[in-house]
Amino acid sequence: MSGVDSGATSAAAAYDFGALRWWLMASMAPPPGVPDDSDWRWDDGDWMRVRGARHQGDLPLAFYCLDAAEWYASRFSPPLRWDALIQELVPYVADLGFTHVAFDAALLAEGDATIRGVVETCHIAGVGVVVSQPTGTAQSLERCRRLHVDGVYTPADEAQAGCCRLFVDDGRADVILAFRPAWQAAMSDYLARPPLSRCRHHAQWIAALTPAPKGRGLLAQLPAPTVPLGAWRQRVHGDAWQRFATLRAALGMMWALPGEKWLGMGVELGQVLAERFPEAIHWPLLFESRHAGMLRLVADLNRLYVNEPALQIRDDGDNGFEWLVPDDGHNSVVVFARHADSGHATLICVSNFQACVHQTYRFGVPEGGRWREIFNSDSVFYAGSNVGNGRSLKAGPEPSHGQAQSLTLTVPPMATLFLRHEVWHGDTP
């Protein structure tokens, strides 16, 4: 059993990005050391031509948020050199499938030439750039636009929800993505509880998972603003295996929910579950299967996010979301569907936050025919226990949960499954 369907691109070696790094070194536009008043010839026309459509919802967005100095110090000796940082960071982010990198305010403190070099190199590799800007004055926003920065963001804190403002060209209104701190707080609280006590908080958990009726949002995994990204540790209950399995399940469900994705550095390799290290990112962790598995899981989720039509529904209107099983607090199981605009390739997300396997678990589905398991966070490829359903399941004409058809399947412990609807020749829809 594979972690994702065999048609998906493998990310087993996502952190081996030497080839792309050397390409960037060769293709990088004038280095950051050129004078600020030099005549810069932009080479990111391909990115800029489609930027507005990307930001307005043509493609899903996934942001990788980092502290530039800390990320740099995990690979090089200080002080920070932006050209060296970008040659390492951009291939890493691109290989993991993130669409944008979110820098802290340090980038805007640099001269124009340095910012241009950073932004253009990211754009050439197909990665957007947003920067932290707590006070977005008209002058600073104009500077960002002039330097081809793709947006600015204000992190969420106790006083304000925070948002990301993405620039759209041709005089059209900018896109505002609001962080959802209540969702993140509910997830952190739920994961920190012992599995057997989670059932008592199931109703609050479901309320937090239910998408907002309007407004594009950001689902984030970030620490509180007072906690540095590199020092953040996620509170998840259980032993080491349970904690990693729970975080994998939570990330899988997060990618299936409506809303753009925002991940803080260190989450992608599970360092938020490890002991504290001097470095903000301790790369030797990737020699351990559970950390390497987490990295592969994030890369595969980003690829599914782009490739699955049902996950590309914008969440600022009819977001294609449907609860199928919102009330199974006893088993700590949640099931929901995402529907594509075309009506085809509906995707079901099944998440189990108990440490036991649910055999012959049955629930109603919106369509008959065959359903293919295309993602399993419990796969051995992610260092899971490899419990699952193989490739194909067939819905039967037995009513359940208000639906005329139902599926019976095995739900792995502390895991998330994605099931895609496929009507095969000869099947009855």
Side-chain angles (χ1 to χ4, degrees), residues 340-352:
D341 277 337
S342 65
H344 302 292
T346 296
L347 187 141
I348 291 176
C349 174
V350 183
S351 295
N352 171 24

Side-chain angles (χ1 to χ4, degrees), residues 43-55 59 61 98-101 119-120 122-129 148-150 167 169:
D43 194 27
D44 62 349
D46 290 343
W47 172 272
M48 296 299 290
R49 276 189 291 272
V50 299
R51 180 175 76 171
R54 288 174 182 263
H55 289 173
L59 287 175
L61 305 178
F98 287 99
T99 63
H100 290 69
V101 59
V119 170
E120 184 169 68
C122 289
H123 285 177
I124 290 172
V127 177
V129 176
H148 287 201
V149 174
D150 299 296
F167 301 145
D169 306 311

Side-chain angles (χ1 to χ4, degrees), residues 77-92:
S77 298
L80 170 61
R81 289 178 51 238
W82 286 95
D83 55 343
L85 170 67
I86 292 303
Q87 289 163 12
E88 293 286 320
L89 174 66
V90 173
Y92 180 74

Side-chain angles (χ1 to χ4, degrees), residues 157-181:
D157 56 27
E158 295 80 2
Q160 56 184 353
C163 67
C164 179
R165 178 175 186 165
L166 297 175
F167 301 145
V168 178
D169 306 311
D170 301 328
R172 291 172 291 175
D174 294 340
V175 172
I176 306 298
L177 303 176
F179 285 97
R180 294 178 176 168

Side-chain angles (χ1 to χ4, degrees), residues 107-120 143 147 149:
L107 180 59
L108 290 184
E110 299 292 334
D112 287 4
T114 298
I115 299 174
R116 285 191 295 247
V118 168
V119 170
E120 184 169 68
R143 183 187 182 218
L147 297 175
V149 174

Side-chain angles (χ1 to χ4, degrees), residues 13-340:
Y15 49 88
D16 182 14
F17 44 79
L20 184 52
R21 182 195 311 132
W22 287 112
W23 174 81
L24 284 168
M25 291 175 68
S27 64
M28 189 172 180
V34 302
D36 284 353
D37 59 354
S38 62
D39 183 15
W40 190 283
R41 296 184 178 180
W42 288 98
D43 194 27
D44 62 349
D46 290 343
W47 172 272
M48 296 299 290
R49 276 189 291 272
V50 299
R51 180 175 76 171
R54 288 174 182 263
H55 289 173
Q56 289 187 314
D58 278 9
L59 287 175
L61 305 178
F63 299 80
Y64 181 74
C65 182
L66 74 149
D67 181 294
E70 289 192 353
W71 205 98
Y72 179 87
S74 71
R75 297 191 68 87
F76 305 103
S77 298
L80 170 61
R81 289 178 51 238
W82 286 95
D83 55 343
L85 170 67
I86 292 303
Q87 289 163 12
E88 293 286 320
L89 174 66
V90 173
Y92 180 74
V93 171
D95 280 357
L96 287 177
F98 287 99
T99 63
H100 290 69
V101 59
F103 287 104
D104 60 301
L107 180 59
L108 290 184
E110 299 292 334
D112 287 4
T114 298
I115 299 174
R116 285 191 295 247
V118 168
V119 170
E120 184 169 68
T121 306
C122 289
H123 285 177
I124 290 172
V127 177
V129 176
V130 299
V131 294
S132 176
Q133 190 179 53
T135 57
T137 64
Q139 183 177 8
S140 61
L141 290 176
E142 174 55 33
R143 183 187 182 218
C144 288
R145 294 179 192 274
R146 176 170 54 82
L147 297 175
H148 287 201
V149 174
D150 299 296
V152 297
Y153 72 94
T154 304
D157 56 27
E158 295 80 2
Q160 56 184 353
C163 67
C164 179
R165 178 175 186 165
L166 297 175
F167 301 145
V168 178
D169 306 311
D170 301 328
R172 291 172 291 175
D174 294 340
V175 172
I176 306 298
L177 303 176
F179 285 97
R180 294 178 176 168
W183 174 88
Q184 184 178 343
M187 171 172 277
S188 297
D189 177 73
Y190 188 80
L191 300 186
R193 295 181 181 279
L196 293 179
S197 74
R198 288 171 181 163
C199 59
R200 296 194 294 270
H201 302 271
H202 194 75
Q204 298 95 311
W205 177 228
I206 292 298
L209 295 179
T210 303
K214 61 180 180 179
R216 292 178 67 185
L218 283 167
L219 302 181
Q221 281 290 301
L222 287 171
T226 56
V227 179
L229 276 174
W232 177 40
R233 292 299 179 267
Q234 177 75 54
R235 291 175 57 243
V236 180
H237 186 275
D239 59 25
W241 187 93
Q242 291 177 338
R243 292 166 65 232
F244 275 83
T246 302
L247 184 58
R248 291 195 302 267
L251 290 177
M253 185 180 63
M254 171 180 166
W255 254 255
L257 286 167
E260 315 297 357
K261 319 308 175 191
W262 190 286
L263 209 65
M265 68 178 193
V267 180
E268 79 279 11
L269 48 79
Q271 183 161 334
V272 292
L273 299 179
E275 61 182 283
R276 296 188 184 276
F277 296 97
E279 309 92 346
I281 296 186
H282 189 65
W283 298 106
L285 288 173
L286 292 175
F287 289 107
E288 301 180 25
S289 60
R290 59 192 181 189
H291 290 281
M294 191 71 73
L295 192 77
R296 179 173 184 171
L297 176 133
V298 170
D300 285 344
L301 285 173
N302 273 333
R303 282 158 178 76
L304 287 168
Y305 189 41
V306 171
N307 292 330
E308 290 300 315
L311 297 182
Q312 298 181 28
I313 295 294
R314 287 170 50 178
D315 61 326
D316 57 349
D318 182 7
N319 50 43
F321 179 89
E322 178 187 7
W323 276 117
L324 298 180
V325 183
D327 55 357
D328 191 3
H330 177 73
N331 291 310
S332 296
V333 171
V334 295
V335 186
F336 58 85
R338 298 289 307 278
H339 300 283

